[in-house]
PDB file of all heavy atoms in Angstrom:
ATOM      1  N   TYR A 230     141.404  -3.156 156.295  1.00  0.00           N
ATOM      2  CA  TYR A 230     141.238  -3.902 157.512  1.00  0.00           C
ATOM      3  C   TYR A 230     139.793  -4.284 157.664  1.00  0.00           C
ATOM      4  O   TYR A 230     138.866  -3.473 157.522  1.00  0.00           O
ATOM      5  CB  TYR A 230     141.821  -3.125 158.708  1.00  0.00           C
ATOM      6  CG  TYR A 230     143.126  -2.768 158.696  1.00  0.00           C
ATOM      7  CD1 TYR A 230     143.592  -1.505 158.284  1.00  0.00           C
ATOM      8  CD2 TYR A 230     144.116  -3.660 159.003  1.00  0.00           C
ATOM      9  CE1 TYR A 230     144.879  -1.107 158.265  1.00  0.00           C
ATOM     10  CE2 TYR A 230     145.570  -3.307 159.008  1.00  0.00           C
ATOM     11  CZ  TYR A 230     145.884  -2.056 158.578  1.00  0.00           C
ATOM     12  OH  TYR A 230     147.158  -1.620 158.556  1.00  0.00           O
ATOM     13  N   ASP A 233     138.125  -7.564 163.525  1.00  0.00           N
ATOM     14  CA  ASP A 233     138.880  -8.621 164.194  1.00  0.00           C
ATOM     15  C   ASP A 233     138.371  -8.746 165.672  1.00  0.00           C
ATOM     16  O   ASP A 233     137.412  -8.077 166.002  1.00  0.00           O
ATOM     17  CB  ASP A 233     140.437  -8.225 164.169  1.00  0.00           C
ATOM     18  CG  ASP A 233     140.638  -6.826 164.808  1.00  0.00           C
ATOM     19  OD1 ASP A 233     139.920  -6.335 165.687  1.00  0.00           O
ATOM     20  OD2 ASP A 233     141.632  -6.144 164.298  1.00  0.00           O
ATOM     21  N   ASP A 234     139.086  -9.559 166.407  1.00  0.00           N
ATOM     22  CA  ASP A 234     138.575  -9.839 167.797  1.00  0.00           C
ATOM     23  C   ASP A 234     139.382  -9.076 168.905  1.00  0.00           C
ATOM     24  O   ASP A 234     139.382  -9.448 170.050  1.00  0.00           O
ATOM     25  CB  ASP A 234     138.619 -11.236 168.055  1.00  0.00           C
ATOM     26  CG  ASP A 234     140.022 -11.875 167.961  1.00  0.00           C
ATOM     27  OD1 ASP A 234     140.964 -11.141 167.471  1.00  0.00           O
ATOM     28  OD2 ASP A 234     140.294 -13.024 168.341  1.00  0.00           O
ATOM     29  N   GLU A 235     140.000  -8.016 168.527  1.00  0.00           N
ATOM     30  CA  GLU A 235     140.757  -7.177 169.536  1.00  0.00           C
ATOM     31  C   GLU A 235     139.865  -6.568 170.465  1.00  0.00           C
ATOM     32  O   GLU A 235     138.823  -6.050 170.147  1.00  0.00           O
ATOM     33  CB  GLU A 235     141.702  -6.152 168.875  1.00  0.00           C
ATOM     34  CG  GLU A 235     142.874  -6.698 168.120  1.00  0.00           C
ATOM     35  CD  GLU A 235     143.847  -5.654 167.599  1.00  0.00           C
ATOM     36  OE1 GLU A 235     143.568  -4.492 167.945  1.00  0.00           O
ATOM     37  OE2 GLU A 235     144.762  -6.005 167.015  1.00  0.00           O
ATOM     38  N   PRO A 236     140.210  -6.430 171.759  1.00  0.00           N
ATOM     39  CA  PRO A 236     139.480  -5.630 172.673  1.00  0.00           C
ATOM     40  C   PRO A 236     139.686  -4.157 172.440  1.00  0.00           C
ATOM     41  O   PRO A 236     140.534  -3.641 171.691  1.00  0.00           O
ATOM     42  CB  PRO A 236     140.156  -6.007 174.059  1.00  0.00           C
ATOM     43  CG  PRO A 236     141.138  -7.200 173.755  1.00  0.00           C
ATOM     44  CD  PRO A 236     141.487  -7.133 172.303  1.00  0.00           C
ATOM     45  N   ASP A 237     138.831  -3.367 172.992  1.00  0.00           N
ATOM     46  CA  ASP A 237     138.910  -1.902 172.936  1.00  0.00           C
ATOM     47  C   ASP A 237     139.909  -1.436 173.979  1.00  0.00           C
ATOM     48  O   ASP A 237     139.489  -1.079 175.131  1.00  0.00           O
ATOM     49  CB  ASP A 237     137.527  -1.213 173.084  1.00  0.00           C
ATOM     50  CG  ASP A 237     136.621  -1.580 171.937  1.00  0.00           C
ATOM     51  OD1 ASP A 237     137.181  -2.103 170.937  1.00  0.00           O
ATOM     52  OD2 ASP A 237     135.396  -1.250 172.109  1.00  0.00           O
ATOM     53  N   PHE A 238     141.263  -1.326 173.571  1.00  0.00           N
ATOM     54  CA  PHE A 238     142.146  -0.974 174.613  1.00  0.00           C
ATOM     55  C   PHE A 238     142.048   0.548 175.012  1.00  0.00           C
ATOM     56  O   PHE A 238     142.437   0.863 176.167  1.00  0.00           O
ATOM     57  CB  PHE A 238     143.635  -1.287 174.080  1.00  0.00           C
ATOM     58  CG  PHE A 238     143.916  -2.746 173.920  1.00  0.00           C
ATOM     59  CD1 PHE A 238     144.108  -3.260 172.640  1.00  0.00           C
ATOM     60  CD2 PHE A 238     143.966  -3.595 175.000  1.00  0.00           C
ATOM     61  CE1 PHE A 238     144.494  -4.650 172.457  1.00  0.00           C
ATOM     62  CE2 PHE A 238     144.143  -4.946 174.822  1.00  0.00           C
ATOM     63  CZ  PHE A 238     144.462  -5.419 173.585  1.00  0.00           C
ATOM     64  N   PHE A 239     141.613   1.349 174.149  1.00  0.00           N
ATOM     65  CA  PHE A 239     141.489   2.751 174.488  1.00  0.00           C
ATOM     66  C   PHE A 239     139.932   3.148 174.301  1.00  0.00           C
ATOM     67  O   PHE A 239     139.585   3.835 173.380  1.00  0.00           O
ATOM     68  CB  PHE A 239     142.408   3.603 173.508  1.00  0.00           C
ATOM     69  CG  PHE A 239     143.859   3.155 173.581  1.00  0.00           C
ATOM     70  CD1 PHE A 239     144.269   2.153 172.883  1.00  0.00           C
ATOM     71  CD2 PHE A 239     144.638   3.842 174.427  1.00  0.00           C
ATOM     72  CE1 PHE A 239     145.609   1.780 172.933  1.00  0.00           C
ATOM     73  CE2 PHE A 239     145.935   3.494 174.574  1.00  0.00           C
ATOM     74  CZ  PHE A 239     146.482   2.503 173.789  1.00  0.00           C
ATOM     75  N   GLU A 240     139.160   2.608 175.224  1.00  0.00           N
ATOM     76  CA  GLU A 240     137.677   2.661 175.074  1.00  0.00           C
ATOM     77  C   GLU A 240     137.178   4.060 175.075  1.00  0.00           C
ATOM     78  O   GLU A 240     136.334   4.415 174.179  1.00  0.00           O
ATOM     79  CB  GLU A 240     137.086   1.969 176.292  1.00  0.00           C
ATOM     80  CG  GLU A 240     135.590   1.709 176.059  1.00  0.00           C
ATOM     81  CD  GLU A 240     135.059   0.765 177.194  1.00  0.00           C
ATOM     82  OE1 GLU A 240     135.834   0.347 178.078  1.00  0.00           O
ATOM     83  OE2 GLU A 240     133.807   0.570 177.181  1.00  0.00           O
ATOM     84  N   GLU A 242     138.564   6.852 173.861  1.00  0.00           N
ATOM     85  CA  GLU A 242     138.856   7.569 172.494  1.00  0.00           C
ATOM     86  C   GLU A 242     138.094   6.795 171.430  1.00  0.00           C
ATOM     87  O   GLU A 242     137.616   7.459 170.457  1.00  0.00           O
ATOM     88  CB  GLU A 242     140.314   7.485 172.180  1.00  0.00           C
ATOM     89  CG  GLU A 242     141.209   8.393 173.074  1.00  0.00           C
ATOM     90  CD  GLU A 242     141.633   7.674 174.407  1.00  0.00           C
ATOM     91  OE1 GLU A 242     141.005   6.590 174.792  1.00  0.00           O
ATOM     92  OE2 GLU A 242     142.615   8.138 175.014  1.00  0.00           O
ATOM     93  N   ILE A 243     137.923   5.399 171.455  1.00  0.00           N
ATOM     94  CA  ILE A 243     137.232   4.664 170.510  1.00  0.00           C
ATOM     95  C   ILE A 243     135.770   5.110 170.453  1.00  0.00           C
ATOM     96  O   ILE A 243     135.230   5.369 169.339  1.00  0.00           O
ATOM     97  CB  ILE A 243     137.391   3.188 170.797  1.00  0.00           C
ATOM     98  CG1 ILE A 243     138.821   2.726 170.523  1.00  0.00           C
ATOM     99  CG2 ILE A 243     136.432   2.360 169.924  1.00  0.00           C
ATOM    100  CD1 ILE A 243     139.087   1.364 171.004  1.00  0.00           C
ATOM    101  N   VAL A 246     135.319   8.596 168.760  1.00  0.00           N
ATOM    102  CA  VAL A 246     135.483   8.557 167.280  1.00  0.00           C
ATOM    103  C   VAL A 246     134.279   7.866 166.689  1.00  0.00           C
ATOM    104  O   VAL A 246     133.748   8.289 165.639  1.00  0.00           O
ATOM    105  CB  VAL A 246     136.763   7.834 166.938  1.00  0.00           C
ATOM    106  CG1 VAL A 246     136.891   7.691 165.371  1.00  0.00           C
ATOM    107  CG2 VAL A 246     138.021   8.697 167.453  1.00  0.00           C
ATOM    108  N   LEU A 261     143.603  12.745 165.120  1.00  0.00           N
ATOM    109  CA  LEU A 261     143.999  11.941 166.246  1.00  0.00           C
ATOM    110  C   LEU A 261     145.492  12.186 166.552  1.00  0.00           C
ATOM    111  O   LEU A 261     146.343  11.705 165.819  1.00  0.00           O
ATOM    112  CB  LEU A 261     143.665  10.433 165.956  1.00  0.00           C
ATOM    113  CG  LEU A 261     142.268  10.123 165.609  1.00  0.00           C
ATOM    114  CD1 LEU A 261     142.202   8.603 165.198  1.00  0.00           C
ATOM    115  CD2 LEU A 261     141.254  10.471 166.500  1.00  0.00           C
ATOM    116  N   ASP A 265     152.223   7.409 169.117  1.00  0.00           N
ATOM    117  CA  ASP A 265     152.222   6.086 168.565  1.00  0.00           C
ATOM    118  C   ASP A 265     151.087   5.902 167.459  1.00  0.00           C
ATOM    119  O   ASP A 265     149.914   5.952 167.756  1.00  0.00           O
ATOM    120  CB  ASP A 265     151.914   5.017 169.600  1.00  0.00           C
ATOM    121  CG  ASP A 265     152.021   3.565 169.186  1.00  0.00           C
ATOM    122  OD1 ASP A 265     152.117   3.371 167.970  1.00  0.00           O
ATOM    123  OD2 ASP A 265     152.067   2.650 170.061  1.00  0.00           O
ATOM    124  N   ASN A 266     151.511   5.934 166.183  1.00  0.00           N
ATOM    125  CA  ASN A 266     150.559   5.875 165.124  1.00  0.00           C
ATOM    126  C   ASN A 266     149.679   4.641 165.229  1.00  0.00           C
ATOM    127  O   ASN A 266     148.551   4.526 164.759  1.00  0.00           O
ATOM    128  CB  ASN A 266     151.258   5.889 163.768  1.00  0.00           C
ATOM    129  CG  ASN A 266     150.278   5.897 162.705  1.00  0.00           C
ATOM    130  OD1 ASN A 266     149.607   6.885 162.418  1.00  0.00           O
ATOM    131  ND2 ASN A 266     150.371   4.806 161.862  1.00  0.00           N
ATOM    132  N   ASP A 267     150.330   3.473 165.711  1.00  0.00           N
ATOM    133  CA  ASP A 267     149.571   2.190 165.835  1.00  0.00           C
ATOM    134  C   ASP A 267     148.284   2.335 166.721  1.00  0.00           C
ATOM    135  O   ASP A 267     147.318   1.705 166.617  1.00  0.00           O
ATOM    136  CB  ASP A 267     150.482   1.097 166.211  1.00  0.00           C
ATOM    137  CG  ASP A 267     151.487   0.664 165.180  1.00  0.00           C
ATOM    138  OD1 ASP A 267     151.025   0.148 164.204  1.00  0.00           O
ATOM    139  OD2 ASP A 267     152.603   0.963 165.383  1.00  0.00           O
ATOM    140  N   VAL A 268     148.503   3.175 167.830  1.00  0.00           N
ATOM    141  CA  VAL A 268     147.452   3.433 168.650  1.00  0.00           C
ATOM    142  C   VAL A 268     146.198   4.093 168.009  1.00  0.00           C
ATOM    143  O   VAL A 268     145.033   3.764 168.069  1.00  0.00           O
ATOM    144  CB  VAL A 268     147.856   4.213 169.917  1.00  0.00           C
ATOM    145  CG1 VAL A 268     146.599   4.744 170.737  1.00  0.00           C
ATOM    146  CG2 VAL A 268     148.768   3.416 170.843  1.00  0.00           C
ATOM    147  N   ALA A 269     146.617   5.139 167.110  1.00  0.00           N
ATOM    148  CA  ALA A 269     145.642   5.934 166.434  1.00  0.00           C
ATOM    149  C   ALA A 269     144.909   4.997 165.403  1.00  0.00           C
ATOM    150  O   ALA A 269     143.703   5.020 165.262  1.00  0.00           O
ATOM    151  CB  ALA A 269     146.333   7.087 165.571  1.00  0.00           C
ATOM    152  N   LEU A 270     145.716   4.029 164.759  1.00  0.00           N
ATOM    153  CA  LEU A 270     145.031   3.164 163.897  1.00  0.00           C
ATOM    154  C   LEU A 270     144.124   2.133 164.614  1.00  0.00           C
ATOM    155  O   LEU A 270     143.039   1.765 164.155  1.00  0.00           O
ATOM    156  CB  LEU A 270     146.139   2.264 163.165  1.00  0.00           C
ATOM    157  CG  LEU A 270     145.696   1.177 162.060  1.00  0.00           C
ATOM    158  CD1 LEU A 270     144.784   1.854 161.116  1.00  0.00           C
ATOM    159  CD2 LEU A 270     146.906   0.536 161.561  1.00  0.00           C
ATOM    160  N   HIS A 271     144.590   1.728 165.804  1.00  0.00           N
ATOM    161  CA  HIS A 271     143.740   0.739 166.576  1.00  0.00           C
ATOM    162  C   HIS A 271     142.393   1.554 166.944  1.00  0.00           C
ATOM    163  O   HIS A 271     141.361   0.875 166.797  1.00  0.00           O
ATOM    164  CB  HIS A 271     144.442   0.338 167.870  1.00  0.00           C
ATOM    165  CG  HIS A 271     143.588  -0.226 168.869  1.00  0.00           C
ATOM    166  ND1 HIS A 271     143.159  -1.568 168.798  1.00  0.00           N
ATOM    167  CD2 HIS A 271     143.111   0.256 170.091  1.00  0.00           C
ATOM    168  CE1 HIS A 271     142.454  -1.936 169.863  1.00  0.00           C
ATOM    169  NE2 HIS A 271     142.349  -0.816 170.639  1.00  0.00           N
ATOM    170  N   VAL A 272     142.504   2.729 167.397  1.00  0.00           N
ATOM    171  CA  VAL A 272     141.307   3.546 167.707  1.00  0.00           C
ATOM    172  C   VAL A 272     140.384   3.702 166.502  1.00  0.00           C
ATOM    173  O   VAL A 272     139.086   3.448 166.546  1.00  0.00           O
ATOM    174  CB  VAL A 272     141.728   4.890 168.246  1.00  0.00           C
ATOM    175  CG1 VAL A 272     140.431   5.757 168.371  1.00  0.00           C
ATOM    176  CG2 VAL A 272     142.299   4.746 169.714  1.00  0.00           C
ATOM    177  N   ALA A 273     141.081   4.039 165.324  1.00  0.00           N
ATOM    178  CA  ALA A 273     140.184   4.117 164.168  1.00  0.00           C
ATOM    179  C   ALA A 273     139.531   2.787 163.722  1.00  0.00           C
ATOM    180  O   ALA A 273     138.349   2.789 163.301  1.00  0.00           O
ATOM    181  CB  ALA A 273     141.107   4.694 162.986  1.00  0.00           C
ATOM    182  N   LYS A 274     140.334   1.794 163.794  1.00  0.00           N
ATOM    183  CA  LYS A 274     139.753   0.422 163.331  1.00  0.00           C
ATOM    184  C   LYS A 274     138.510   0.091 164.354  1.00  0.00           C
ATOM    185  O   LYS A 274     137.506  -0.348 163.860  1.00  0.00           O
ATOM    186  CB  LYS A 274     140.783  -0.637 163.386  1.00  0.00           C
ATOM    187  CG  LYS A 274     141.823  -0.590 162.323  1.00  0.00           C
ATOM    188  CD  LYS A 274     142.601  -1.925 162.165  1.00  0.00           C
ATOM    189  CE  LYS A 274     143.364  -2.212 163.379  1.00  0.00           C
ATOM    190  NZ  LYS A 274     144.235  -3.435 163.317  1.00  0.00           N
ATOM    191  N   ARG A 275     138.758   0.154 165.580  1.00  0.00           N
ATOM    192  CA  ARG A 275     137.658  -0.253 166.493  1.00  0.00           C
ATOM    193  C   ARG A 275     136.460   0.672 166.289  1.00  0.00           C
ATOM    194  O   ARG A 275     135.323   0.126 166.476  1.00  0.00           O
ATOM    195  CB  ARG A 275     138.217  -0.222 167.968  1.00  0.00           C
ATOM    196  CG  ARG A 275     139.369  -1.159 168.326  1.00  0.00           C
ATOM    197  CD  ARG A 275     139.100  -2.580 167.913  1.00  0.00           C
ATOM    198  NE  ARG A 275     137.846  -3.123 168.450  1.00  0.00           N
ATOM    199  CZ  ARG A 275     137.262  -4.249 168.005  1.00  0.00           C
ATOM    200  NH1 ARG A 275     137.851  -4.933 167.138  1.00  0.00           N
ATOM    201  NH2 ARG A 275     136.296  -4.699 168.593  1.00  0.00           N
ATOM    202  N   ALA A 276     136.663   1.863 166.065  1.00  0.00           N
ATOM    203  CA  ALA A 276     135.556   2.867 165.960  1.00  0.00           C
ATOM    204  C   ALA A 276     134.846   2.542 164.705  1.00  0.00           C
ATOM    205  O   ALA A 276     133.544   2.541 164.559  1.00  0.00           O
ATOM    206  CB  ALA A 276     135.993   4.315 165.821  1.00  0.00           C
ATOM    207  N   ALA A 277     135.545   2.121 163.565  1.00  0.00           N
ATOM    208  CA  ALA A 277     135.047   1.740 162.321  1.00  0.00           C
ATOM    209  C   ALA A 277     134.061   0.481 162.421  1.00  0.00           C
ATOM    210  O   ALA A 277     132.941   0.378 161.932  1.00  0.00           O
ATOM    211  CB  ALA A 277     136.041   1.567 161.221  1.00  0.00           C
ATOM    212  N   TYR A 278     134.699  -0.477 163.215  1.00  0.00           N
ATOM    213  CA  TYR A 278     133.937  -1.762 163.429  1.00  0.00           C
ATOM    214  C   TYR A 278     132.664  -1.690 164.179  1.00  0.00           C
ATOM    215  O   TYR A 278     131.665  -2.304 163.976  1.00  0.00           O
ATOM    216  CB  TYR A 278     134.826  -2.737 164.051  1.00  0.00           C
ATOM    217  CG  TYR A 278     136.240  -3.014 163.339  1.00  0.00           C
ATOM    218  CD1 TYR A 278     137.270  -3.463 164.018  1.00  0.00           C
ATOM    219  CD2 TYR A 278     136.358  -2.905 161.915  1.00  0.00           C
ATOM    220  CE1 TYR A 278     138.457  -3.727 163.360  1.00  0.00           C
ATOM    221  CE2 TYR A 278     137.438  -3.134 161.300  1.00  0.00           C
ATOM    222  CZ  TYR A 278     138.463  -3.626 162.019  1.00  0.00           C
ATOM    223  OH  TYR A 278     139.745  -3.755 161.274  1.00  0.00           O
ATOM    224  N   ILE A 284     137.883  -0.331 157.106  1.00  0.00           N
ATOM    225  CA  ILE A 284     138.706   0.885 157.289  1.00  0.00           C
ATOM    226  C   ILE A 284     139.950   0.724 156.244  1.00  0.00           C
ATOM    227  O   ILE A 284     140.523  -0.297 156.107  1.00  0.00           O
ATOM    228  CB  ILE A 284     139.337   1.084 158.683  1.00  0.00           C
ATOM    229  CG1 ILE A 284     140.074   2.400 158.752  1.00  0.00           C
ATOM    230  CG2 ILE A 284     140.175  -0.084 159.129  1.00  0.00           C
ATOM    231  CD1 ILE A 284     140.302   2.859 160.174  1.00  0.00           C
ATOM    232  N   PHE A 319     141.500   6.358 156.832  1.00  0.00           N
ATOM    233  CA  PHE A 319     142.498   6.732 157.937  1.00  0.00           C
ATOM    234  C   PHE A 319     143.813   7.227 157.221  1.00  0.00           C
ATOM    235  O   PHE A 319     144.464   6.254 156.526  1.00  0.00           O
ATOM    236  CB  PHE A 319     142.660   5.585 158.881  1.00  0.00           C
ATOM    237  CG  PHE A 319     143.751   5.794 159.967  1.00  0.00           C
ATOM    238  CD1 PHE A 319     143.507   6.517 161.025  1.00  0.00           C
ATOM    239  CD2 PHE A 319     145.049   5.192 159.797  1.00  0.00           C
ATOM    240  CE1 PHE A 319     144.527   6.729 161.994  1.00  0.00           C
ATOM    241  CE2 PHE A 319     146.035   5.455 160.713  1.00  0.00           C
ATOM    242  CZ  PHE A 319     145.665   6.154 161.903  1.00  0.00           C
ATOM    243  N   LEU A 376     145.372  11.338 171.938  1.00  0.00           N
ATOM    244  CA  LEU A 376     145.478  10.027 172.393  1.00  0.00           C
ATOM    245  C   LEU A 376     146.481   9.929 173.411  1.00  0.00           C
ATOM    246  O   LEU A 376     147.724  10.258 173.158  1.00  0.00           O
ATOM    247  CB  LEU A 376     145.851   9.080 171.135  1.00  0.00           C
ATOM    248  CG  LEU A 376     144.909   9.170 169.912  1.00  0.00           C
ATOM    249  CD1 LEU A 376     145.421   8.404 168.731  1.00  0.00           C
ATOM    250  CD2 LEU A 376     143.574   8.777 170.329  1.00  0.00           C
ATOM    251  N   VAL A 383     146.876  -1.139 180.799  1.00  0.00           N
ATOM    252  CA  VAL A 383     146.544  -1.332 179.386  1.00  0.00           C
ATOM    253  C   VAL A 383     147.690  -2.030 178.615  1.00  0.00           C
ATOM    254  O   VAL A 383     147.442  -2.956 177.858  1.00  0.00           O
ATOM    255  CB  VAL A 383     146.292   0.090 178.717  1.00  0.00           C
ATOM    256  CG1 VAL A 383     146.022  -0.208 177.139  1.00  0.00           C
ATOM    257  CG2 VAL A 383     144.924   0.608 179.235  1.00  0.00           C
ATOM    258  N   ILE A 387     147.501  -5.578 176.624  1.00  0.00           N
ATOM    259  CA  ILE A 387     147.984  -5.637 175.250  1.00  0.00           C
ATOM    260  C   ILE A 387     148.933  -6.912 175.091  1.00  0.00           C
ATOM    261  O   ILE A 387     148.836  -7.634 174.151  1.00  0.00           O
ATOM    262  CB  ILE A 387     148.657  -4.313 174.666  1.00  0.00           C
ATOM    263  CG1 ILE A 387     147.523  -3.261 174.755  1.00  0.00           C
ATOM    264  CG2 ILE A 387     149.190  -4.589 173.360  1.00  0.00           C
ATOM    265  CD1 ILE A 387     148.147  -1.889 174.439  1.00  0.00           C
ATOM    266  N   HIS A 390     146.975 -10.086 175.334  1.00  0.00           N
ATOM    267  CA  HIS A 390     146.196 -10.270 174.137  1.00  0.00           C
ATOM    268  C   HIS A 390     146.921 -10.868 172.926  1.00  0.00           C
ATOM    269  O   HIS A 390     146.583 -11.839 172.304  1.00  0.00           O
ATOM    270  CB  HIS A 390     145.567  -9.061 173.648  1.00  0.00           C
ATOM    271  CG  HIS A 390     144.922  -9.111 172.297  1.00  0.00           C
ATOM    272  ND1 HIS A 390     143.673  -9.827 172.056  1.00  0.00           N
ATOM    273  CD2 HIS A 390     145.358  -8.624 171.032  1.00  0.00           C
ATOM    274  CE1 HIS A 390     143.422  -9.711 170.745  1.00  0.00           C
ATOM    275  NE2 HIS A 390     144.403  -9.083 170.198  1.00  0.00           N
ATOM    276  N   PHE A 391     148.142 -10.166 172.683  1.00  0.00           N
ATOM    277  CA  PHE A 391     148.900 -10.727 171.547  1.00  0.00           C
ATOM    278  C   PHE A 391     149.646 -12.056 171.818  1.00  0.00           C
ATOM    279  O   PHE A 391     149.913 -12.731 170.901  1.00  0.00           O
ATOM    280  CB  PHE A 391     149.858  -9.633 171.181  1.00  0.00           C
ATOM    281  CG  PHE A 391     149.191  -8.471 170.297  1.00  0.00           C
ATOM    282  CD1 PHE A 391     149.176  -7.256 170.818  1.00  0.00           C
ATOM    283  CD2 PHE A 391     148.593  -8.800 169.175  1.00  0.00           C
ATOM    284  CE1 PHE A 391     148.540  -6.226 170.049  1.00  0.00           C
ATOM    285  CE2 PHE A 391     147.908  -7.801 168.488  1.00  0.00           C
ATOM    286  CZ  PHE A 391     147.964  -6.518 168.915  1.00  0.00           C
ATOM    287  N   TYR A 416     151.340   0.211 171.677  1.00  0.00           N
ATOM    288  CA  TYR A 416     150.584  -0.885 171.116  1.00  0.00           C
ATOM    289  C   TYR A 416     151.303  -1.555 169.923  1.00  0.00           C
ATOM    290  O   TYR A 416     151.444  -2.781 169.993  1.00  0.00           O
ATOM    291  CB  TYR A 416     149.145  -0.327 170.687  1.00  0.00           C
ATOM    292  CG  TYR A 416     148.339  -1.239 169.847  1.00  0.00           C
ATOM    293  CD1 TYR A 416     147.448  -2.167 170.371  1.00  0.00           C
ATOM    294  CD2 TYR A 416     148.524  -1.216 168.435  1.00  0.00           C
ATOM    295  CE1 TYR A 416     146.693  -2.938 169.459  1.00  0.00           C
ATOM    296  CE2 TYR A 416     147.737  -1.985 167.591  1.00  0.00           C
ATOM    297  CZ  TYR A 416     146.804  -2.813 168.179  1.00  0.00           C
ATOM    298  OH  TYR A 416     146.080  -3.709 167.313  1.00  0.00           O
ATOM    299  N   GLY A 417     151.735  -0.753 168.976  1.00  0.00           N
ATOM    300  CA  GLY A 417     152.423  -1.363 167.883  1.00  0.00           C
ATOM    301  C   GLY A 417     153.698  -2.048 168.119  1.00  0.00           C
ATOM    302  O   GLY A 417     153.985  -3.113 167.595  1.00  0.00           O
TER     303      GLY A 417
END
Side-chain angles (χ1 to χ4, degrees):
Y230 301 97
D233 55 35
D234 59 351
E235 286 189 4
D237 292 347
F238 292 119
F239 302 86
E240 191 171 358
E242 292 89 341
I243 290 169
V246 174
L261 307 175
D265 187 350
N266 181 67
D267 289 292
V268 171
L270 178 58
H271 169 77
V272 169
K274 286 196 299 184
R275 299 307 305 169
Y278 301 155
I284 186 164
F319 175 77
L376 301 177
V383 173
I387 296 172
H390 169 76
F391 283 116
Y416 165 92

